[in-house]
Amino acid sequence: AGGENDPVSVWTDQSGNGRDATQETAANQPSFQQQMVNGLPAVSFDGSSDYLGFARLTTIRDCFFAISIDALQSASCCPPILGDSAGTTHFMGADGGQGSALIGATASAGLRGGAAYVNGASTTPTSITKQPFFRLISFHPTAAQTADQLARYVTDNTRLLGADWAETILFVDALTAAERLEVQGYLNAKYRLFGTNSLPTAALTPDPLFQVSVTFGGVPVEVRVVDSGTLLAMVPAQTAGTVDVVVSNRNGQVQTLPGAYTYVDYPDPI
């Protein structure tokens, strides 16, 4: 997929672990949507036929979703954010459409009894509702969870979650508070979902051609200009620690943001 409304047969795993989410049946493929959130694309699941499967995971702990739940969410029973075709219902949703609970009373005790966050604010997992705008939702269960598909309940194609899905990160290990904040910060800086006035800023005279360069700890990075006040940078891999971010433009102006980015060691996603 690459063009607007193109069917998505493979959503490639960016962790390097090769756990792509796939769908061979054309009628069940979600669609690719360009520039849905902060100028970035998302994958749209229609709530009536779309879902993706991946190699079954039985050790899911911390999980993060940048997602918008369809405003016309079907009121059919309990579509999950993550499902398991083999029958476990760890991420079971609640009955009802928009405004109903994303995590239902029959979800696993480990998920319901764990921590959850919406846009950085602590909440209980069962209090998170289906809402038609992008949010950063994360779960931190007390025990390992199981799933092998996005948006479908077991093998029932009438119980599907309608959503626009920007990114999902799953971990096999329970994260520390500092590690959770690091992942949360990465997703929020990328998608600008909340508290964006706290993101690092650099004051430079506008360049009409938007020609800028950025380094993280002295390493040049790929930059995409979203608008006259927003840049997206592909952060390079480096060892744990704090680095300066330097932004310069074609006019020769340079702005250094001391210690603006912190690398933290946390477990590899699964």
Side-chain angles (χ1 to χ4, degrees):
E4 187 76 4
N5 295 317
D6 279 357
V8 176
S9 59
V10 179
W11 194 351
T12 305
D13 177 13
Q14 300 296 312
S15 73
N17 293 317
R19 294 187 174 91
D20 300 341
T22 64
Q23 177 56 261
E24 295 182 356
T25 303
N28 299 123
Q29 292 171 352
S31 62
F32 181 80
Q33 303 296 319
Q34 298 177 331
Q35 299 186 13
M36 285 207 75
V37 52
N38 194 32
L40 296 172
V43 177
S44 184
F45 294 74
D46 64 8
S48 61
S49 62
D50 300 344
Y51 67 95
L52 296 174
F54 52 86
R56 192 168 189 251
L57 297 168
T58 60
T59 55
I60 299 171
R61 290 299 297 265
D62 287 33
C63 43
F64 298 77
F65 305 91
I67 191 170
S68 169
I69 311 299
D70 193 342
L72 301 178
Q73 179 64 46
S74 169
S76 64
C77 172
C78 41
I81 193 166
L82 295 177
D84 178 29
S85 60
T88 64
T89 57
H90 289 176
F91 291 88
M92 189 76 148
D95 291 359
Q98 181 185 346
S100 62
L102 182 62
I103 300 298
T106 55
S108 74
L111 185 66
R112 288 183 286 109
Y117 297 84
V118 176
N119 287 349
S122 177
T123 187
T124 57
T126 54
S127 69
I128 300 173
T129 57
K130 303 165 188 171
Q131 298 293 343
F133 48 86
F134 277 96
R135 295 171 293 170
L136 174 53
I137 299 172
S138 61
F139 298 106
H140 311 274
T142 60
Q145 308 295 296
T146 296
D148 69 356
Q149 53 192 354
L150 304 178
R152 183 173 72 155
Y153 168 76
V154 193
T155 57
D156 189 340
N157 286 357
T158 68
R159 300 182 182 185
L160 299 164
L161 188 69
D164 296 319
W165 219 303
E167 188 162 346
T168 295
I169 304 178
L170 307 177
F171 290 89
V172 69
D173 296 315
L175 302 185
T176 66
E179 291 166 346
R180 176 185 62 78
L181 288 173
E182 176 69 10
V183 180
Q184 175 183 294
Y186 153 73
L187 289 169
N188 191 39
K190 182 175 182 179
Y191 296 108
R192 296 172 66 90
L193 297 174
F194 64 96
T196 53
N197 59 335
S198 65
L199 296 176
T201 60
L204 298 176
T205 301
D207 179 350
L209 298 180
F210 295 129
Q211 294 181 354
V212 297
S213 61
V214 179
T215 64
F216 281 70
V219 179
V221 301
E222 180 182 343
V223 177
R224 182 166 72 85
V225 176
V226 177
D227 54 44
S228 60
T230 309
L231 302 175
L232 287 179
M234 183 67 70
V235 179
Q238 297 199 45
T239 57
T242 299
V243 300
D244 295 346
V245 177
V246 179
V247 182
S248 57
N249 68 10
R250 185 175 59 98
N251 299 327
Q253 295 179 308
V254 178
Q255 179 78 47
T256 299
L257 308 174
Y261 194 86
T262 301
Y263 289 88
V264 175
D265 282 327
Y266 55 80
D268 289 334
I270 56 176

